[in-house]
Amino acid sequence: MGAGKYTKGCTGWLIVLVVAALVVTAIVLGLRKKAHHSDMGPVPGPPGAITQKYSDALSVALQFFQVQKSGKLVNNKISWRGDSALSDGSEDGLDLSKGMYDAGDHIKFGLPMAFTATVMSWTILEYGDQMSAVNQLDSALDSLKWITDYLINAHPSDSVLYIQVGDPDLDHQCWQRPEEMTEKRPLIQINKKNPGTEVAAETAAAMAAASLVFKSINSSYSDLLLQHAQKLFTFADDHKVSYTISFPKLQKFYNSTGFGDELLWAASWLYHATGDQSYLSYVTVQNGQSYADWGRPTWFSWDDKRSGTQVLLSRLNLFGAKQSTNAENKGLQMYRKTSEAIMCGLLPDSPTSTSSRTDGGLLWIDQWNALQHPVAASFLAVLYSDYMLTSRTPSFSCNGVTFSSSDLRKFAMSQADYILGNNPMGISYLVGYGDKYPQQVHHRGASIPASANTGCKGFEWLKSPNPNPNVAVGALVGGPFKNDSYIDNRNNSMQSEPTTYNSAVLVGLLSGLITTSSVVRSFN
């Protein structure tokens, strides 16, 4: 009888255990379904194992800035490039010979050039140790300073900023090497009478960010940059007029859709550079509601800095802003929430994911310069991923489904890999990387032999069916159509023209992917 009693009791407990196990299993499965990935992985320290393909691609991408340099070249490593535009600015007694040409032509446009410098600075601040580990930091610093030297000279007084060198209409009537330019190079300046808020603010952002980069390298240069940044921000904020209102003809080249984003972007960088609480109040309490479009994801670009600002300020919320007020912290929380909404739109498995992708998996927003948005978005994704790792933030939610930092990194890698050749065309869109890349890049200097003397009328080289005689190493072309196709034709500028600002965000993306590493908690 005792044996029978024991068996019944054991059976009862067994049933309880089985039921409990089923409950636990159901809970685990439910959590797995709800949480796409919950693993955070260890917080990395200094740069670890290098991913060679991204290191190689970074080395290639940085060379494009050497290709685009204007002025008297120093330690020139591009055999087919020489000195150019040496007299730029001379008509107003300035030296504006440095700086970089924005794309395949020879105009110096202030807004995209300053954006290039801001993004380069951000990359160096976050990923300088990774860049150094693969011997690319010095190259990046050289390119950055080539631009900031120009920006300093372009700001000769508090309320004057030269924002363009060259006449785009005249330039586009020529097909020539920059070394041969003889046409007039007129100057455009903004001032109190003809303001240009967004370009003044973007230049302030570039100088503030660069001041942090050079702080430990050249303190006097850093101080000079910061002085210029503060004066330019004051000028931009005191004279709120779009530069394309002051100069309507510029609308067909780099038309601005508004200046609120640049003011927030500049103030954010000035807060990081100075620690001055008034800049934090500016972006959170005073102007966040009106300029930031909290809760609405946008695409990061030379024209729209909102998503970049949101991610930049998220690092303050994740790492903690010193001595911030409750109102400022509330604003920072809104920036972080908006950043998470941006990330949710990028991840393919998110309930709020954008459906605008090619069959090959590339984010696709615009047929002109198609790679601009996926590269910039991926750069922000890598940054936010590393902010999460460093702050030990395990996940974020997209309409009830949670994702981790590794999901963001996986997405960014998918976009980088597409660009480097893992796409239906099997082509690398980064010129000089891999075995197959565009041969007819829309680029004047690359398309004309260095020995040719074409004058302004070298259009035979534009129309030539042959590959470019010079390889514009590091050029990131515009990219594919929505059906993943690419037409390698020099006249197809929609797809084949490279830009320095695209290269800047690509350098940022590749630098973040070289190795998994934590970012610094403070730029100061």
Side-chain angles (χ1 to χ4, degrees):
M1 187 175 288
K5 184 178 179 182
Y6 178 80
T7 303
K8 285 174 67 177
C10 184
T11 301
W13 279 110
L14 183 61
I15 292 171
V16 170
L17 289 173
V18 169
V19 171
L22 289 172
V23 170
V24 170
T25 300
I27 292 172
V28 169
L29 290 174
L31 288 174
R32 283 183 178 176
K33 185 177 180 181
K34 193 170 184 179
H36 190 67
H37 282 114
S38 58
D39 59 301
M40 267 179 45
V43 173
I50 301 298
T51 303
Q52 196 61 44
K53 65 178 176 181
Y54 299 132
S55 173
D56 293 344
L58 176 63
S59 175
V60 170
L62 279 165
Q63 293 182 59
F64 188 60
F65 297 109
Q66 303 301 317
V67 169
Q68 295 302 98
K69 278 184 174 180
S70 166
K72 187 166 187 60
L73 304 185
V74 180
N75 299 321
N76 179 28
K77 295 180 176 62
I78 309 299
S79 62
W80 49 274
R81 279 301 326 276
D83 299 344
S84 65
L86 296 179
S87 60
D88 278 3
S90 59
E91 64 187 80
D92 283 8
L94 301 173
D95 179 6
L96 300 180
S97 61
K98 281 189 174 182
M100 294 185 185
Y101 306 119
D102 72 308
D105 52 17
H106 303 138
I107 304 301
K108 297 176 193 173
F109 291 100
L111 183 59
M113 195 194 305
F115 174 73
T116 298
T118 312
V119 172
M120 285 287 286
S121 296
W122 197 3
T123 296
I124 294 168
L125 290 168
E126 302 283 13
Y127 297 121
D129 54 350
Q130 284 96 311
M131 301 174 91
S132 179
V134 294
N135 300 313
Q136 298 303 322
L137 180 58
D138 287 345
S139 176
L141 288 169
D142 171 79
S143 297
L144 174 61
K145 191 171 185 295
W146 201 264
I147 296 177
T148 54
D149 284 351
Y150 168 88
L151 296 178
I152 288 171
N153 289 351
H155 184 224
S157 61
D158 291 359
S159 301
V160 173
L161 176 67
Y162 286 79
I163 63 167
Q164 185 173 301
V165 181
D167 181 337
D169 292 323
L170 186 61
D171 180 84
H172 288 174
Q173 293 174 21
C174 293
W175 193 266
Q176 62 186 341
R177 300 172 61 245
E179 294 81 0
E180 288 192 305
M181 287 188 296
T182 57
E183 67 270 16
K184 291 183 178 180
R185 305 271 291 169
L187 308 174
I188 294 180
Q189 65 164 259
I190 55 171
N191 48 48
K192 290 181 179 179
K193 184 178 178 181
N194 296 295
T197 299
E198 53 277 271
V199 65
E202 180 59 65
T203 307
M207 290 172 144
S211 76
L212 286 165
V213 170
F214 291 106
K215 192 172 184 178
S216 61
I217 302 171
N218 185 336
S219 60
S220 60
Y221 188 71
S222 171
D223 291 343
L224 178 62
L225 285 168
L226 187 55
Q227 290 168 21
H228 279 280
Q230 290 173 308
K231 291 174 181 177
L232 275 169
F233 179 77
T234 299
F235 171 45
D237 194 41
D238 286 347
H239 300 82
K240 295 186 179 72
V241 177
S242 173
Y243 87 108
T244 50
I245 296 297
S246 294
F247 301 96
K249 286 185 177 180
L250 301 186
Q251 291 178 14
K252 63 180 179 178
F253 299 104
Y254 287 98
N255 188 33
S256 172
T257 56
F259 52 71
D261 55 311
E262 277 88 9
L263 287 170
L264 293 178
W265 178 239
S268 300
W269 280 111
L270 280 163
Y271 173 70
H272 282 90
T274 65
D276 186 334
Q277 210 71 13
S278 66
Y279 292 119
L280 182 61
S281 178
Y282 185 96
V283 299
T284 53
V285 179
Q286 298 171 32
N287 298 290
Q289 188 71 43
S290 54
Y291 291 156
D293 279 344
W294 285 330
R296 189 169 77 86
T298 53
W299 297 104
F300 189 40
S301 72
W302 61 265
D303 176 43
D304 194 338
K305 320 301 169 16
R306 284 172 294 181
S307 56
T309 302
Q310 284 145 6
V311 170
L312 176 62
L313 293 177
S314 290
R315 78 181 334 273
L316 293 177
N317 180 260
L318 288 163
F319 300 153
K322 296 177 181 178
Q323 300 176 339
S324 53
T325 65
N326 288 336
E328 290 164 350
N329 281 328
K330 186 177 179 181
L332 291 176
Q333 288 171 8
M334 293 304 298
Y335 281 107
R336 178 178 169 186
K337 287 181 179 179
T338 308
S339 294
E340 292 178 351
I342 293 166
M343 300 305 140
C344 289
L346 302 180
L347 296 172
D349 295 332
S350 164
T352 56
S353 174
T354 179
S355 60
S356 186
R357 302 173 197 266
T358 70
D359 289 343
L362 179 75
L363 281 176
W364 199 89
I365 309 304
D366 197 335
Q367 64 179 355
W368 278 93
N369 195 7
L371 290 177
Q372 174 182 200
H373 294 110
V375 175
S378 299
F379 172 51
L380 296 184
V382 168
L383 284 170
Y384 200 81
S385 171
D386 286 338
Y387 294 167
M388 291 176 67
L389 273 175
T390 306
S391 64
R392 303 298 284 159
T393 302
S395 62
F396 60 95
S397 176
C398 303
N399 278 15
V401 180
T402 57
F403 294 87
S404 70
S405 60
S406 61
D407 293 310
L408 289 174
R409 193 172 187 85
K410 181 180 177 182
F411 159 75
M413 290 171 65
S414 75
Q415 303 299 288
D417 291 347
Y418 184 105
I419 291 163
L420 299 179
N422 185 17
N423 56 63
M425 293 286 291
I427 184 173
S428 165
Y429 291 109
L430 176 62
V431 175
Y433 179 86
D435 298 325
K436 182 181 178 183
Y437 49 81
Q439 300 296 305
Q440 289 201 28
V441 179
H442 183 92
H443 189 279
R444 288 162 172 74
S447 71
I448 304 173
S451 59
N453 295 311
T454 66
C456 176
K457 304 299 181 182
F459 287 99
E460 63 182 285
W461 299 102
L462 169 64
K463 300 171 184 176
S464 169
N466 300 320
N468 285 349
N470 309 310
V471 180
V473 176
L476 179 68
V477 296
F481 287 130
K482 182 70 180 292
N483 64 1
D484 291 300
S485 68
Y486 179 82
I487 301 171
D488 189 10
N489 186 291
R490 202 174 294 109
N491 247 326
N492 176 23
S493 58
M494 179 188 297
Q495 288 190 289
S496 65
E497 187 168 19
T499 63
T500 48
Y501 45 91
N502 277 11
S503 290
V505 286
L506 179 64
V507 164
L509 171 60
L510 294 171
S511 298
L513 293 178
I514 289 172
T515 180
T516 303
S517 177
S518 57
V519 292
V520 295
R521 287 181 172 269
S522 172
F523 295 143
N524 290 319

